[in-house]
Amino acid sequence: MGRSYDITPVAFAPGSAKTILEVIAGSLRGFRVKRLWVTSNDVAGATVVRVQVKRLTAAGTSTATTPSPKHLGDLAFTGTAGYNHTVEPTETAVLWQEQFNLLTGWILPLPPGEEWHVPATNANGISVELLDNPGATITVGATIEED
């Protein structure tokens, strides 16, 4: 079992449909996606938005965030993570797509053996993209396990 990390940037308002989170593998260690989620504190309406998880081959331009080790004494994550993109990453395949209501949030737990694996190659990763403007402040997050 590898090292586990939570990636939970600060809450932000995307302002448009765009990539809201990316996680890129380092050159020496790949990772597995264990869980992804999007939540909102918006209680004004029942806004439905579409979300996609994509495989990517080049990072976009975003605000950096530091993955937090889940276990005391674990080393830092060897890859990178970012959120709230201003330039989109290069995406190659849609891994998952669904819609959800902002009032209830979205969570995608991936059971053992069904996690998405990102190999240890520079610029390979996954992204979470909203296909609709949520019109609200959101929090996006991931739990990953490094190889």
Side-chain angles (χ1 to χ4, degrees), residues 43-132:
V43 294
T47 303
V48 174
V49 294
R50 294 170 296 153
V51 62
Q52 280 187 342
V53 180
K54 297 180 179 179
R55 187 170 300 280
L56 53 91
T57 57
T61 303
S62 61
T63 303
T65 187
T66 302
S68 301
K70 290 180 79 72
H71 304 288
L72 186 64
D74 276 354
L75 300 175
F77 178 59
T78 62
T80 61
Y83 69 100
N84 199 18
H85 286 64
T86 56
V87 176
E88 292 295 309
T90 303
E91 296 152 331
T92 59
V94 175
L95 301 173
W96 190 271
Q97 178 175 318
E98 65 182 298
Q99 59 187 13
F100 69 98
N101 188 309
L102 282 179
L103 291 175
T104 59
W106 174 75
I107 185 167
L108 180 63
L110 296 164
E114 295 183 24
E115 307 100 334
W116 292 311
H117 183 257
V118 177
T121 306
N122 275 336
N124 275 342
I126 58 108
S127 65
V128 177
E129 180 178 345
L130 291 183
L131 301 180
D132 305 294

Side-chain angles (χ1 to χ4, degrees), residues 5 21 28 98 101 141 146:
Y5 301 87
L21 180 71
L28 299 176
E98 65 182 298
N101 188 309
E146 199 166 43

